[in-house]
Amino acid sequence: MPDAQPRQIVIAGAGVAGLTAAVAFGEHGYPVQLFEQAQRLDVVGAGIQLSPNATRILRQLGVLDRLLAAAVRPEAVVLKDAATLRELARVPLGQAAEKRWGAPYLVAHRADLQSALTERAAENPNIALLTGARLSDVVTGGHGVTATLERDGKTVQSRGFLLVGADGVWSSVRAVVDRARGAASPRSRFSGELAWRTTVAAGSAAGQAFAAIGATDSVTTFLHPGFHMVAYPVSKGDAFNFVAFTRGERIAEGWSGHADPGILAGAMRGTAAGLARLAEMAGPWLTWPLHTVEQKQPWTTPAGIALIGDAAHAMTPFAAQGAAMAIEDAATLAAWLAACPTDPSRALVIWEDLRRRRVASVARRGGLNRLAWHAAGPVAMARNLYLKVRSADQLAADLDWLYGWQQQRIVRR
């Protein structure tokens, strides 16, 4: 199809994945219609870690500068034994990260990232955002893709040559992809893990309790066989975000729920008194079940549908790469479609193949992290010895493949 002909992109879901996709496609000159089911752009979760592989893309898209004003550049990732509070390892970040990987490592409130993306999208007249629109049907054919949406009791249709499903772990678009191949759509799978989260003011009693045992300028991870907890500053350092992970029973699907706090307290048996006191003071904790999506299912269809982010490959967050993978998905999808304007089906095949390999490697790293962080007995001793003999530079080098990743240069076809 000639480049001069308008090629509209329809995106379902205005979270991090969908907003990034809208900005990325807009940067390539595509008209974009971005739909969100919620009446307003609610923020899911609290804190977020953005490693250099993600911030490099945000910089290229003109988003990073907006985010930097509210984000924090942690000086290190610090691993501590939850029972003794002894430091086990320290991976340098800060200026060292930017020098090594060419982009900063940031921690921020998810709302700040979403705001930065929304502001950038609003600057592009080719991007239209419509909230309160629920996807009800998708039809594919020679005309491209037609999405039918319900909004305020009325039916709205949007046509494009590509529908991007960025609607999260409980994706409606994923069901369309599976119907297209004549298969039942698999539901997301509960991983058996619960995430507990809370945010406290740095000057509060809980904030001061954390300052006494953690690294207030870094990402601190407390390791224990029954749980692990990650803590870091957000909102220019005015608050601390805490998230703890335990085994647990399935609770209602959703991002913010409540579970028996005794589960977290029981998982923390044997921890240092200061950490147990912090967990009690930092409450109440909101709980959400960690769901994953089977990654063997297709992420694209030849008719012009692509899944990105959690809709395609929701994984447990133990590599802290959920947002980064969504950002990578969005930017690379836009780049491949722009590079193959006359053969979008081929672009989708190439994109999916490349992304599958990358995402699989990240998922394996997350599984390894969980095993190491929850290790007990001889395995924990081996982990501690490994961390002790590795220098800070060697620990950073272990992450070069992850944080140093850059989108390959694509020759226009």
Side-chain angles (χ1 to χ4, degrees):
M1 187 175 292
D3 292 352
Q5 183 171 343
R7 315 271 322 267
Q8 180 158 277
I9 307 295
V10 181
I11 303 174
V16 171
L19 284 166
T20 305
V23 173
F25 276 106
E27 287 290 295
H28 286 288
Y30 288 95
V32 176
Q33 288 197 342
L34 174 60
F35 295 96
E36 169 56 44
Q37 179 172 308
Q39 292 294 335
R40 62 182 186 276
L41 297 187
D42 291 325
V43 176
V44 173
I48 190 170
Q49 298 186 59
L50 293 167
S51 47
N53 48 308
T55 59
R56 182 180 297 108
I57 293 172
L58 295 178
R59 182 170 57 202
Q60 293 165 352
L61 295 178
V63 176
L64 185 59
D65 285 345
R66 290 172 169 79
L67 179 61
L68 286 174
V72 177
R73 300 189 191 206
E75 290 301 315
V77 170
V78 178
L79 303 181
K80 288 196 168 193
D81 186 301
T84 65
L85 300 182
R86 178 170 63 92
E87 185 173 310
L88 301 175
R90 179 179 291 258
V91 181
L93 297 178
Q95 291 299 320
E98 192 152 5
K99 181 178 180 181
R100 183 178 194 104
W101 295 303
Y105 192 112
L106 301 179
V107 288
H109 197 287
R110 187 175 288 265
D112 295 324
L113 173 59
Q114 188 161 296
S115 294
L117 286 165
T118 303
E119 290 172 8
R120 183 63 176 140
E123 292 178 346
N124 191 325
N126 286 329
I127 300 174
L129 170 62
L130 188 66
T131 59
R134 183 183 62 83
L135 182 71
S136 60
D137 191 28
V138 176
V139 176
T140 60
H143 59 276
V145 181
T146 301
T148 301
L149 305 108
E150 303 298 327
R151 186 173 190 258
D152 296 331
K154 299 179 181 179
T155 298
V156 179
Q157 286 192 329
S158 180
R159 294 181 176 86
F161 88 99
L162 178 69
L163 170 64
V164 179
D167 49 345
V169 65
W170 297 290
S171 171
S172 297
V173 180
R174 187 170 65 242
V176 175
V177 173
D178 289 306
R179 283 201 301 270
R181 66 187 179 98
S185 178
R187 291 170 58 101
S188 60
R189 183 182 66 84
F190 176 53
S191 67
E193 302 270 352
L194 297 178
W196 307 72
R197 61 180 172 86
T198 188
T199 303
V200 304
S204 67
Q208 294 173 9
F210 170 65
I213 63 171
T216 59
D217 63 350
S218 300
V219 178
T220 306
T221 302
F222 299 95
L223 311 185
H224 183 273
F227 83 108
H228 76 273
M229 182 189 295
V230 183
Y232 50 83
V234 293
S235 303
K236 302 180 183 178
D238 293 335
F240 295 121
N241 179 76
F242 301 105
V243 58
F245 300 93
T246 69
R247 301 294 295 178
E249 297 296 324
R250 180 174 184 150
I251 60 177
E253 291 185 355
W255 291 112
S256 294
H258 297 276
D260 179 3
I263 296 174
L264 178 59
M268 293 183 66
R269 285 196 192 94
T271 60
L275 184 56
R277 187 163 51 250
L278 168 62
E280 184 176 352
M281 296 172 67
W285 296 77
L286 286 176
T287 316
W288 80 93
L290 297 181
H291 283 248
T292 60
V293 171
E294 173 56 60
Q295 294 182 25
K296 293 180 181 179
Q297 66 179 21
W299 299 352
T300 63
T301 71
I305 301 176
L307 302 174
I308 64 173
D310 283 352
H313 48 67
M315 64 182 77
T316 53
F318 304 133
Q321 287 293 301
M325 289 302 101
I327 291 168
E328 287 185 13
D329 283 352
T332 54
L333 179 63
W336 274 105
L337 265 295
C340 302
T342 61
D343 196 354
S345 295
R346 181 167 181 267
L348 291 177
V349 170
I350 297 172
W351 172 81
E352 180 173 349
D353 180 63
L354 293 172
R355 291 307 298 161
R356 279 189 178 280
R357 284 180 272 171
R358 169 74 170 166
V359 170
S361 296
V362 173
R364 286 193 295 269
R365 176 63 188 232
L368 178 63
N369 284 351
R370 192 206 178 279
L371 178 65
W373 293 342
H374 291 232
V379 178
M381 293 175 61
R383 173 201 67 198
N384 294 350
L385 178 61
Y386 174 84
L387 293 173
K388 183 177 181 179
V389 301
R390 300 284 284 178
S391 68
D393 187 68
Q394 287 173 320
L395 291 173
D398 291 340
L399 296 166
D400 284 348
W401 69 274
L402 181 56
Y403 297 165
W405 176 92
Q406 296 189 46
Q407 182 176 333
Q408 69 184 79
R409 184 175 179 273
I410 306 171
V411 179
R412 191 175 177 87
R413 305 179 184 201

